[in-house]
Amino acid sequence: MTVQPLLPLIDSHCHIVFREFDDDLAVVAERWRKAGVCALLHACVEPAEIPGIRALADRFPELRYSVGVHPLDPQHWASNTVDVLREAALADSRVVAIGELGLDLYRAKNLQDQLQMLTAQLNLAEELQLPVIIHCRDAAAEMVDLLQSRKSKGHHISGVMHCWGGTAAEMELFLEFGLFISFSGTVTFPKAQETHQCARQVPATRYLVETDCPFLSPVPRRGKRNEPAMVLHVAERVAELRGESLEQVCLQSSANAAQLFALPYQAPA
């Protein structure tokens, strides 16, 4: 990392419950704190993870989490899954979002099954007045259609398009729904020109930064395990693309994340 940040930073999407962190999580935590990461949002991909994520929140007071089912995990969806997610969310005030939910037509083509899971979770988020964490890969048109249909029926949504990898035109559509755009390590990849343009173009009050660790390690650690401290590389690249200081990006992205997810962050005086 070329610059040590003067201000706290938020990793708005991570998966440290995964086994990749079983052997050295205490050291990983030391590194994220040294890098200035003052808050983390841990995304959930299926209900069996919830006890483990809750234990991490007990261990790390800067961590908040979501509950949900990933679109590529339909095997974890059952008739009572919404009730399980609702119970978990109501039982712990550290649950600040529903997700990771969404659509993924890159790795699977079971659109109707994914739409069923997605719609049920969107309804739950609306019921509980929680934001959503949206995974959307090769499915922007289908996602827009669903959100537009729901909007026309009076349904409201707040949340984030996580790990953004769409076009600038697609980004504008999701911004119109009131959603935030979150940049991961992909924004550091030299060939990710569309993502670079989105980082330049997104309004200052509508973007977040994340790692999605242990996946998508940013340059210069590409190919290695990702971890929350590496969100600093993401913030650095976003600052370069926007022609802003790292301090500006740390302040703005953290304020945005704290606003959306009620994370434990206090802007410096």
Side-chain angles (χ1 to χ4, degrees):
M1 288 167 230
T2 58
V3 181
Q4 183 67 22
L6 301 176
L7 298 166
L9 190 56
I10 291 176
D11 182 358
S12 67
H13 192 110
C14 65
H15 299 276
I16 59 173
V17 78
F18 286 6
R19 63 180 180 274
E20 286 88 342
F21 296 102
D22 285 352
D23 296 334
D24 64 343
L25 187 53
V27 176
V28 168
E30 288 180 11
R31 283 197 290 264
W32 82 55
R33 289 166 175 165
K34 185 176 180 180
V37 177
C38 67
L40 308 91
L41 177 54
H42 197 303
C44 173
V45 299
E46 54 108 345
E49 286 188 336
I50 295 173
I53 301 173
R54 186 186 301 123
L56 289 173
D58 292 339
R59 182 176 175 184
F60 302 111
E62 63 265 48
L63 188 147
R64 300 293 183 270
Y65 65 102
S66 68
V67 295
V69 180
H70 192 282
L72 293 178
D73 288 320
Q75 70 274 21
H76 299 302
W77 189 265
S79 59
N80 68 334
T81 298
V82 168
D83 294 329
V84 171
L85 298 178
R86 179 187 294 107
E87 181 179 353
L90 292 175
D92 190 346
S93 62
R94 296 170 299 184
V95 175
V96 296
I98 302 298
E100 171 178 356
L101 51 80
L103 297 174
D104 191 319
L105 300 181
Y106 177 79
R107 294 188 180 277
K109 304 301 179 185
N110 56 336
L111 177 60
Q112 292 307 311
D113 289 341
Q114 292 187 38
L115 284 170
Q116 178 185 1
M117 295 191 299
L118 171 58
T119 299
Q121 291 179 88
L122 290 173
N123 290 340
L124 177 63
E126 188 173 359
E127 172 193 335
L128 298 179
Q129 297 185 316
L130 289 174
V132 293
I133 300 169
I134 299 178
H135 172 109
C136 185
R137 190 171 187 190
D138 282 11
E142 292 81 359
M143 183 67 73
V144 168
D145 286 347
L146 175 63
L147 296 181
Q148 188 58 57
S149 175
R150 291 176 62 85
K151 184 177 180 180
S152 70
K153 297 173 184 176
H155 294 282
H156 301 285
I157 186 174
S158 65
V160 63
M161 302 300 295
H162 123 82
C163 192
W164 180 253
T167 67
E170 290 167 346
M171 180 182 76
E172 292 299 330
L173 293 173
F174 291 115
L175 288 171
E176 289 177 8
F177 289 112
L179 295 166
F180 287 71
I181 304 296
S182 184
F183 297 100
S184 68
T186 57
V187 79
T188 71
F189 298 173
K191 295 182 180 179
Q193 296 298 320
E194 287 279 7
T195 307
H196 298 166
Q197 182 56 37
C198 290
R200 296 185 187 101
Q201 186 173 317
V202 67
T205 57
R206 300 287 289 283
Y207 74 87
L208 312 179
V209 291
E210 62 168 273
T211 59
D212 198 20
C213 65
F215 312 110
L216 298 175
S217 291
V219 173
R221 291 182 56 87
R222 195 168 179 182
K224 300 178 182 179
R225 182 193 67 177
N226 201 2
E227 60 182 73
M230 297 301 105
V231 75
L232 180 53
H233 289 305
V234 179
E236 287 175 341
R237 183 60 176 137
V238 170
E240 291 173 0
L241 291 164
R242 295 178 67 82
E244 298 174 354
S245 68
L246 177 60
E247 179 177 336
Q248 285 177 285
V249 169
C250 288
L251 270 175
Q252 188 67 64
S253 64
S254 296
N256 294 345
Q259 172 195 336
L260 178 60
F261 292 121
L263 299 176
Y265 167 78
Q266 184 173 358

